[in-house]
Amino acid sequence: MTADAAAVDFIARLGSAMLGADYPVTIVKRTLSIVADRYELDCPVLVLPNFVQAGEGELTRVVNRDKPLRYDQTFPLGDLVQRAERGQVAPAEGWAELDRIHALPRRFPAWVSVLGCAVQSAAYALILQPTLVALVAAAGFGLLVGTLLQITGGNAGLRQLLPVVSAFLVTYIAFSLGRLLHMGHDSFRVLIPPLTFFLPGVAITLAVIESSTGHMVSGAARLTGGLLRLAQLALGIIIAIQLLGVTSDELTDAPVNT
């Protein structure tokens, strides 16, 4: 492989990793252009939310968006990006560093992540007119969603269905237990905290950033993806409500602990 080909390969893969870490396409394109200049390459770059194309002619490389990076993996990636922009990374060295970043083990075992989901769910419940029953229920549903996240982590197909499945299970169990235990409107309030894990906040934020900077295709694609995620959550909730025959009174919030 020639030096130019190795450099183009690294540039394309670096962009793919940055997309996996949820960098806006504006920053990805700017970074790849700077890195290409450091290598003294004429390397046109096309960046969209799901792939990167670098180079032209026989040196054209197209790489799909990398798998999502964990939070702890984004820090060494950020260091690599800074070094690459300064011209301090050879293509082979950068490729090896990307391999190392992807191979980094999780900092904590899976059960810690599940407990973290329970804590986060309970924390969100604290700002939604909390009662003791609602806090306990939110933590329990957080454990459920956290377990589902761990089980489906290695299966991309199941992961795409997880928002619908989680919304359905949480809604169905919450209202079923609410009727059995006479929880009242707590059943309605505990729906939101465990489902916050699926809210497309990052996608919609990036959509606004990219649209406002002239990258309309990328912004529209991310916005559509975010709205689809919200539709998935709504679908799961609606299916459970229809199966249970939940009444409008049960779906009306009664202010408490405001």
Side-chain angles (χ1 to χ4, degrees):
M1 180 183 294
T2 66
D4 287 352
V8 172
D9 283 344
F10 169 61
I11 289 172
R13 192 178 177 205
L14 178 63
S16 172
M18 293 176 71
L19 290 178
D22 285 328
Y23 279 76
V25 297
T26 50
I27 294 179
V28 176
K29 186 174 181 178
R30 171 185 170 277
T31 295
L32 300 187
S33 297
I34 292 175
V35 174
D37 290 340
R38 295 298 185 188
Y39 292 143
E40 298 181 349
L41 283 175
D42 182 14
C43 182
V45 175
L46 172 63
V47 182
L48 290 176
N50 60 331
F51 78 92
V52 174
Q53 176 180 306
E56 60 182 350
E58 295 181 355
L59 292 181
T60 301
R61 299 290 186 271
V62 179
V63 182
N64 290 330
R65 179 181 186 269
D66 215 334
K67 63 181 180 181
L69 294 182
R70 300 190 309 272
Y71 186 63
D72 60 290
Q73 293 173 310
T74 62
F75 292 97
L77 176 62
D79 291 338
L80 177 61
V81 168
Q82 290 182 350
R83 290 169 53 210
E85 288 181 343
R86 299 188 190 113
Q88 299 172 346
V89 180
E93 179 188 353
W95 191 278
E97 177 64 8
L98 287 173
D99 286 338
R100 186 191 72 83
I101 291 172
H102 283 95
L104 286 175
R106 291 182 175 273
R107 296 180 62 192
F108 304 103
W111 64 268
V112 174
S113 298
V114 174
L115 287 180
C117 290
V119 173
Q120 181 174 327
S121 180
Y124 279 113
L126 284 172
I127 61 175
L128 297 173
Q129 305 173 30
T131 64
L132 180 59
V133 173
L135 289 176
V136 173
F141 286 129
L143 287 175
L144 172 63
V145 173
T147 301
L148 291 175
L149 287 170
Q150 293 299 319
I151 292 174
T152 60
N155 190 309
L158 290 177
R159 200 63 178 260
Q160 293 299 320
L161 295 174
L162 192 56
V164 178
V165 174
S166 297
F168 171 79
L169 289 176
V170 169
T171 304
Y172 193 91
I173 296 173
F175 281 103
S176 296
L177 288 178
R179 290 173 173 179
L180 182 64
L181 302 177
H182 305 291
M183 291 171 56
H185 291 87
D186 281 337
S187 299
F188 181 61
R189 279 189 289 272
V190 299
L191 296 183
I192 299 174
L195 298 180
T196 54
F197 302 105
F198 304 107
L199 292 179
V202 172
I204 293 177
T205 300
L206 292 179
V208 173
I209 292 173
E210 292 169 355
S211 297
S212 63
T213 54
H215 292 76
M216 299 304 298
V217 175
S218 299
R222 290 192 192 274
L223 182 60
T224 301
L227 294 178
L228 180 59
R229 175 61 61 84
L230 293 176
Q232 287 180 301
L233 293 173
L235 178 62
I237 293 172
I238 290 172
I239 292 174
I241 286 174
Q242 292 296 320
L243 286 177
L244 289 172
V246 177
T247 65
S248 59
D249 289 339
E250 292 175 284
L251 295 173
T252 302
D253 180 41
V256 61
N257 293 343
T258 55

